[in-house]
Amino acid sequence: ECEEGYAHGHTLLLSGCGSGSEGEISRELDGPRPHGSRSLLSVLSSRALWAACAAALVACAALATVAGSSRRRPAASPSNWIADVAVPAAGIVSGIYTYGAPATASPPFENFLASDGCFDGLRCFNEDVAGPATRQVDAASMLNNFPHAKMPTAVLHLGTDSTYIPCPGKPTWPNDKSGQVFSDWTLHWENDYTPRLKDITINHTIQHSAEPFASAFKFVTLAFKSYDNTSNTRQAIAERLPGWKLVAKETRIQGKGPLYDEDPVMLVQDGTTLDCAIVFTGT
């Protein structure tokens, strides 16, 4: 599970899917599974997937626990940390997309499989300009004081230019150190993210069809539909992601009474390219 506070989900785009040993889950999608797959949480639990996604998956703070590994990078050499990880030809995480997600760790997570330590994809959060120096931002994105992972960062504005910082992005954004940035939970909804990504402009130039914005817009529906029921999710995927299919939706259940918690995870696949998206909800 990913420690994401009230985040509305992550999308990790993978090239290829894997399988692993069975885990304890609550299944929400019946019917035949694709060739080579088992339960979704067993996929996350398998060492094979951890090996394939060794660096990129740690963007979720607690994912190492689910994947069955708690190793940390030696301070002297990041390459030593993954020296014994056999990375297959297929199965590498090609992008991580977050929407108003809280920060994860200090120092910020790095991608040990990239020379610049940066994750591909996009971390975006909504911001409204309330005055010359006053900003209102998605409250979840500044829920704690940790820095965010090193990855491209987009500050999404409505009806005006957004701000884009390529790798390594701005791990310390947003923050309220100036006393002029305020949390706003009303900016933490699908109806806030979808139009801003759809109509995004950078330096007065439309960027909707350019990466990483095109993929971030494509997957935003998955991040929010991970909270919806299976029927509505299937319908939304058919409308927004033609050719993609909901392969599995599993819910990890833990705790009792006031500590009871359900954490849905979805696996969605492109029927043509066989690319997969693993979607995590906020926990």
Side-chain angles (χ1 to χ4, degrees):
E1 68 183 323
C2 302
E3 295 293 341
E4 287 304 326
Y6 295 95
H8 271 287
H10 284 316
T11 299
L12 293 87
L13 178 62
L14 292 86
S15 176
C17 299
S19 62
S21 58
E22 293 291 340
E24 295 183 2
I25 56 175
S26 170
R27 294 178 176 171
E28 298 184 18
L29 187 63
D30 297 324
R33 299 181 182 276
H35 176 71
S37 69
R38 298 183 184 176
S39 69
L40 184 52
L41 287 190
S42 72
V43 171
L44 296 180
S45 299
S46 70
R47 181 171 177 79
L49 182 61
W50 173 245
C53 309
L57 289 180
V58 297
C60 294
L63 190 57
T65 302
V66 177
S69 174
S70 60
R71 294 186 300 165
R72 293 183 179 271
R73 173 188 66 174
S77 175
S79 61
N80 292 340
W81 188 82
I82 59 170
D84 63 339
V85 176
V87 180
I92 297 297
V93 174
S94 60
I96 301 175
Y97 301 87
T98 72
Y99 309 87
T104 45
S106 181
F109 280 124
E110 299 180 13
N111 181 1
F112 297 153
L113 296 181
S115 59
D116 61 359
C118 196
F119 295 99
D120 289 329
L122 185 69
R123 176 177 72 89
C124 59
F125 62 91
N126 289 330
E127 177 185 84
D128 284 348
V129 178
T134 305
R135 304 287 189 270
Q136 292 175 297
V137 304
D138 182 338
S141 62
M142 52 186 295
L143 193 62
N144 58 55
N145 294 322
F146 292 131
H148 294 264
K150 291 185 177 180
M151 59 189 301
T153 305
V155 184
L156 302 179
H157 297 144
L158 185 63
T160 186
D161 263 0
S162 295
T163 301
Y164 175 63
I165 310 295
C167 279
K170 284 290 186 179
T172 60
W173 286 6
N175 63 74
D176 61 352
K177 293 179 180 178
S178 67
Q180 308 255 359
V181 179
F182 301 95
S183 300
D184 187 347
W185 284 104
T186 66
L187 295 175
H188 192 60
W189 302 103
E190 181 179 6
N191 289 341
D192 296 299
Y193 279 92
T194 299
R196 296 175 192 233
L197 286 166
K198 179 177 181 294
D199 300 322
I200 188 170
T201 63
I202 306 292
N203 295 326
H204 308 293
T205 302
I206 297 174
Q207 298 289 338
H208 171 76
S209 299
E211 292 294 351
F213 311 110
S215 291
F217 173 72
K218 178 169 69 174
F219 292 124
V220 66
T221 296
L222 298 182
F224 287 87
K225 282 301 172 183
S226 58
Y227 291 89
D228 210 337
N229 61 50
T230 300
S231 178
N232 290 343
T233 300
R234 280 174 165 162
Q235 181 178 347
I237 291 173
E239 294 173 354
R240 284 288 304 276
L241 294 169
W244 287 71
K245 179 182 179 181
L246 178 62
V247 176
K249 183 178 182 181
E250 316 283 4
T251 300
R252 182 178 188 273
I253 299 174
Q254 64 179 355
K256 296 181 179 180
L259 297 179
Y260 178 84
D261 185 40
E262 296 185 3
D263 299 325
V265 185
M266 295 196 312
L267 178 64
V268 185
Q269 186 173 43
D270 185 325
T272 301
T273 66
L274 301 185
D275 284 351
C276 295
I278 298 179
V279 188
F280 301 89
T281 60
T283 63

